[in-house]
Amino acid sequence: MKKKLLKNAYIIISADFPVQKADILISENEILQVFPNGINEKSFGEAEVWDMSGKLITPGFINAHSHVAMTLFRGIADDMNFKEWLFDNMLPREELLDDESVYYASMLALMEMAGKGITFSADMYFFTNSICKAFSDVGMRGCISRGLSFDDQKGWDRRLDETMDTYNRYNGYKNLLEVGFGPHAPYTVPMERLAEVASLAKKLGASVQMHIYESAWERESYTFSDLDKTGIFDTKLIAAHCVQADMQDIKTLAAKNVTVVHNPCSNLKLGNGTAPVIAMLDENVNVTVGTDGAASNNSLDILGEMKIMALSQKSKYSPSQVKINDVLRMAWENGGYAFGKKMGRIEPGYYADLTVFDISKPSFYPTDLQRLKSHIVYSAGSDSVFATMVNGEWIYYNGTYPLIKESDIYEKFQKSFIRIENTFNGNSIISGN
Ligand SMILES: [Zn+2]
């Protein structure tokens, strides 16, 4: 692959840096050099030059928690509480999934994410070989885990076998994918099984994604002390939600270096509340941000999450306790730290994973350099995303997806959706017309 030189852009190196003018040189999948005063492209005879005048380049946005294939269930059960949503609507429909439906639903989700400036997504679901194929086809970086729950020994063994099959096929694939473990939650996986997952994950050095304290009723079914005994806190644990964590739990998360993924839209929509993010940051917990699945959000838009997070935390604490740099850090460097990857900064040696904003859009005015970071969090919205690069390749550019054929995806997604809904409803009420 030729080197790429992105010229004449405004850039933000990371959350604590001001906006500055610079050129960025990319080689293969990495950032090779950043030139704050620009560089004469003649020095790079072999580099492709991309004029980025009028654009703002930032580190790619990191979605630390999702279930990509749940795009199939978007708009179903919008007005239900968490238990009705999960047990009466999601779980029965998930029984009807297959490799094909999961692949096209994942493709659709990842296209949406790419178009909204996301360059990495962490995922937990089923049919993970199909999900990995979708990540690779769209060009999205990710950490994928097979969701694990315990019903009986046979089912548990099958799910662990599927985890290992995906691990063996896709861990490290194209320098794009990582495969980890995904015990769904402590209320669906007994403690002795969590201990088994913890020991496997430690042996492989793999990450673990798990829902923890998403809803108030979970506090009656397990404690942090139960979890600690399983060894799960001693893995590379990414804990989704932690809405119900108290101060004692927050101190444990900090002491054990557990990453928390805050999913503000999903938590608000399912009536689970607002996580104590400011208290977590004060205790130096590594907090990141995620969309969760499209069935509980319903969009896959980290910029939207950042704004809702900032607003809901201002409401829970006080407006002065929520800083723009903290919000940006959660979507950039904290995500890189959580997954142990060179992501979330524009620096030599980091992945060439970038988001490009068009700052000629109305919501980016006034074009005062001091205010561009504020515009990203509070004003811009994902419609200002001009391009998204992962591993040095454009996966979204000016309204198009250069690596895939879009029309096929919509058609096959819609076919899967109709099959699942008709089967779930036991008749043919959905024609798709
Ligand atoms: Zn989730």
Side-chain angles (χ1 to χ4, degrees):
M1 205 199 308
K2 250 189 184 173
K3 287 183 184 134
K4 286 189 177 74
L5 182 65
L6 310 185
K7 274 198 76 66
N8 307 318
Y10 291 105
I11 75 161
I12 302 174
I13 288 175
S14 69
D16 293 307
F17 284 73
V19 177
Q20 58 182 279
K21 260 215 139 157
D23 294 349
I24 303 170
L25 182 66
I26 289 157
S27 176
E28 301 287 331
N29 66 333
E30 274 185 10
I31 294 163
L32 198 60
Q33 196 59 265
V34 177
F35 302 100
N37 300 312
I39 186 81
N40 186 339
E41 67 250 41
K42 303 243 163 42
S43 335
F44 308 103
E46 78 283 28
E48 271 174 31
V49 178
W50 295 78
D51 182 16
M52 291 283 142
S53 303
K55 306 291 188 294
L56 169 66
I57 305 182
T58 71
F61 288 89
I62 294 168
N63 183 2
H65 181 66
S66 188
H67 313 281
V68 283
M70 291 186 94
T71 45
L72 282 165
F73 312 138
R74 174 160 33 207
I76 291 167
D78 271 338
D79 307 319
M80 292 183 190
N81 69 38
F82 180 58
K83 276 189 166 171
E84 286 172 296
W85 175 87
L86 179 65
F87 295 107
D88 301 343
N89 284 281
M90 296 304 132
L91 299 183
R93 281 183 171 88
E94 285 175 342
E95 292 297 313
L96 305 171
L97 293 170
D98 58 12
D99 271 304
E100 185 177 332
S101 51
V102 166
Y103 173 76
Y104 288 107
S106 304
M107 288 296 285
L108 189 96
L110 295 168
M111 286 162 63
E112 180 178 346
M113 288 188 199
K116 291 177 173 175
I118 293 171
T119 53
F120 173 98
S121 190
D123 208 73
M124 177 206 291
Y125 217 58
F126 333 108
F127 300 100
T128 37
N129 288 340
S130 296
I131 295 175
C132 288
K133 184 173 179 335
F135 269 77
S136 155
D137 289 350
V138 172
M140 181 72 70
R141 191 182 304 288
C143 178
I144 289 98
S145 63
R146 205 278 183 216
L148 298 169
S149 57
F150 186 87
D151 44 6
D152 55 29
Q153 189 63 42
K154 213 171 134 198
W156 176 255
D157 289 344
R158 178 175 56 79
R159 290 173 198 115
L160 273 184
D161 285 350
E162 287 173 14
T163 301
M164 291 317 301
D165 180 52
T166 301
Y167 183 89
N168 291 329
R169 283 172 198 247
Y170 283 107
N171 191 47
Y173 189 71
K174 288 188 180 172
N175 202 2
L176 205 60
L177 302 185
E178 180 194 336
V179 178
F181 289 84
H184 168 256
Y187 60 87
T188 50
V189 181
M191 292 299 154
E192 64 273 20
R193 304 295 164 176
L194 271 184
E196 192 183 338
V197 171
S199 103
L200 276 169
K202 276 189 258 182
K203 208 163 92 188
L204 294 171
S207 60
V208 177
Q209 303 176 44
M210 181 163 65
H211 300 93
I212 295 181
Y213 279 173
E214 180 174 6
S215 307
W217 55 265
E218 288 174 49
R219 288 203 73 96
E220 286 152 36
S221 62
Y222 61 93
T223 66
F224 266 41
S225 156
D226 297 334
L227 291 177
D228 197 11
K229 286 181 201 140
T230 67
I232 206 79
F233 285 149
D234 304 315
T235 64
K236 286 197 287 180
L237 178 63
I238 293 101
H241 305 298
C242 298
V243 179
Q244 306 297 330
D246 63 18
M247 269 322 289
Q248 180 84 28
D249 302 331
I250 291 171
K251 285 184 193 301
T252 304
L253 293 167
K256 294 286 185 176
N257 199 22
V258 174
T259 288
V260 171
V261 189
H262 180 39
N263 302 270
C265 291
S266 171
N267 297 151
L268 289 168
K269 187 160 184 276
L270 293 172
N272 286 323
T274 302
V277 169
I278 297 301
M280 290 178 190
L281 294 178
D282 286 348
E283 293 294 324
N284 293 318
V285 176
N286 187 53
V287 186
T288 58
V289 63
T291 59
D292 214 345
S296 63
N297 188 312
N298 298 357
S299 63
L300 302 171
D301 178 4
I302 284 296
L303 290 162
E305 298 297 321
M306 287 158 63
K307 179 168 179 173
I308 298 285
M309 164 176 64
L311 301 182
S312 56
Q313 293 297 312
K314 280 172 188 286
S315 167
K316 187 179 177 81
Y317 294 91
S318 78
S320 60
Q321 280 178 281
V322 182
K323 312 281 190 219
I324 284 169
N325 286 4
D326 290 338
V327 177
L328 291 170
R329 203 179 300 111
M330 286 168 66
W332 292 339
E333 295 106 304
N334 290 9
Y337 179 79
F339 293 92
K341 296 191 185 308
K342 294 269 192 185
M343 304 188 295
R345 293 172 78 88
I346 302 181
E347 277 190 346
Y350 273 67
Y351 285 132
D353 292 3
L354 304 169
T355 303
V356 181
F357 290 96
D358 179 355
I359 56 171
S360 71
K361 297 276 183 184
S363 53
F364 260 110
Y365 279 80
T367 47
D368 170 1
L369 296 194
Q370 306 295 324
R371 298 189 207 184
L372 293 187
K373 284 159 85 175
S374 162
H375 295 345
I376 291 174
V377 174
Y378 290 116
S379 157
S382 53
D383 57 337
S384 323
V385 172
F386 174 77
T388 306
M389 174 184 278
V390 176
N391 255 353
E393 282 202 83
W394 298 114
I395 65 167
Y396 173 77
Y397 195 90
N398 198 15
T400 64
Y401 300 88
L403 305 182
I404 56 173
K405 196 173 162 206
E406 259 183 274
S407 56
D408 276 5
I409 315 295
Y410 301 125
E411 195 187 315
K412 292 193 167 125
F413 171 93
Q414 194 66 10
K415 247 170 107 173
S416 293
F417 157 73
I418 290 165
R419 175 185 66 76
I420 289 168
E421 285 309 299
N422 282 344
T423 312
F424 179 80
N425 292 313
N427 56 40
S428 293
I429 54 163
I430 295 177
S431 70
N433 295 321

